[in-house]
Each structure stands twice: as structure tokens, then as C-alpha cells.
Amino acid sequence: DTAVSQTPKYLVTQMGNDKSIKCEQNLGHDTMYWYKQDSKKFLKIMFSYNNKELIINETVPNRFSPKSPDKAHLNLHINSLELGDSAVYFCASSPNSGDAFFGQGTRLTVV
Amino acid sequence: AQRVTQPEKLLSVFKGAPVELKCNYSYSGSPELFWYVQYSRQRLQLLLRHISRESIKGFTADLNKGETSFHLKKPFAQEEDSAMYYCALSRRVTDKLIFGTGTRLQVFP
């Protein structure tokens, strides 16, 4: 059983489109995150939710909107996609012990 | 502000050679420190954490508060160790992870 799963794995879309990435964890963790890994492999936190409540919102454009329908899901919706949004987006969950379990990543390519 | 620095983008060694991936951090409190590894085409996964003081796949890392370092070491590198390694810091157990920029380790046969 996959602990943290993201869909889709690959996403190619045109500029200006709106897209969503879904994330689900079956570990019973309270905290979930979205991280962005850019072309230089830099990993940066975007959002964090704890028990469906937003607790971290880094300086991310408001075109990015996370949604957590329940503790096991944290989806990422992106409006008006731009070329610079191309990256690998990682979902993660944490048992509040400091470490995190990551999904396999979603490679987003905006053309 | 908290920061994690990995000065080397790429580290290349031959199989059997010792490896040390450097990590320095800046944080005034007592951080939680981790090493994560990302093998080719795989997800990021936890390699080890400083509070466990364990050795995973032959890797160890010691927290040096005086030097604010958490270097990752392995006495004899293997080809399968080739991967991207990230050092990460968390201010407290419920906080986000702050990652370094990563070091790509290449182990040649």
C-alpha cells in the first residue's frame, strides 16, 4: 500500500489553464505539506495543513490554493498557470515527529 | 531566520572511498536535523535523523552544535549510494522541514 500518493504523476498543460494535483495519505498523520522542487532541485515548503487547518503559507502566489477536505487529503489547485510554475510538486505527511513521508511527486510542465 | 547550507552541489567519489556530505545550519534554538535521500526517479525518503543516532545503509551523521553542522558520512561508498542528498532542519517536531539545496553524490565503479 502506498503511504502518500499523488495524482497525476505527470501533467503537461498550456499557460493560462487551471489544474489540480491530488494527494492522499493512509498513514493517519495529522499534518500534510506541499513542497516545490524547481529545476535546480531546490526544495521549498509551500503549504502545511494540520487537521484540515492551514498552518503554514509561505510566500506563494495566490494562484495556488490548497484544499484539505479531510485529514487524509490535501489537494493543490493552481489557477492561470505560468511557465515558471513548471516544477516537481511533492506532497508529504508527518506524524508530528519532525520527519515527513513524501509522495512520488508530480512533474508539472507548462508550455 | 533558519537556514540550511549544503556547500557542495556535486560530490564525486570512487567506490570504496570515504564520503562526507557537508551540512551547516543556522538556528538559535535546538533544531531537529535530518538527512533525506532521493534516488533516481524515486520519492524523497528519510535516511536518518539526529535524535536516533543510528546508522542507516552505513551512513552516520553527528550533530555538532558548536560548529552548527550535521555532516553525513560513510566510510566506504557504494555505487548504489549515488543519489541526491538533502539536509533538513525542523524547529520543533510539529514544524515544517527547511531543506538545504541538496548535494548530488556520484559514486563511480
Side-chain angles (χ1 to χ4, degrees), chain B residues 1-71:
Chain B
Q2 301 79 40
R3 178 176 286 186
V4 178
T5 304
Q6 292 179 250
E8 302 141 329
K9 286 182 71 172
L10 174 66
L11 183 62
S12 298
V13 300
F14 286 102
K15 177 183 171 182
V19 167
E20 182 179 66
L21 287 85
K22 291 185 168 48
C23 172
N24 288 89
Y25 66 91
S26 61
Y27 176 54
S28 56
S30 293
E32 301 271 341
L33 285 155
F34 308 86
W35 276 99
Y36 280 80
V37 59
Q38 188 177 25
Y39 299 103
S40 178
R41 301 184 186 280
Q42 292 189 28
R43 68 186 67 206
L44 203 66
Q45 55 188 289
L46 178 67
L47 180 62
L48 53 80
R49 48 194 303 187
H50 88 273
I51 61 171
S52 301
R53 302 186 66 82
E54 56 194 345
S55 172
I56 304 291
K57 299 185 179 182
F59 285 97
T60 58
D62 289 322
L63 175 60
N64 185 323
K65 291 188 177 181
E67 295 181 359
T68 59
S69 68
F70 188 55
H71 304 326

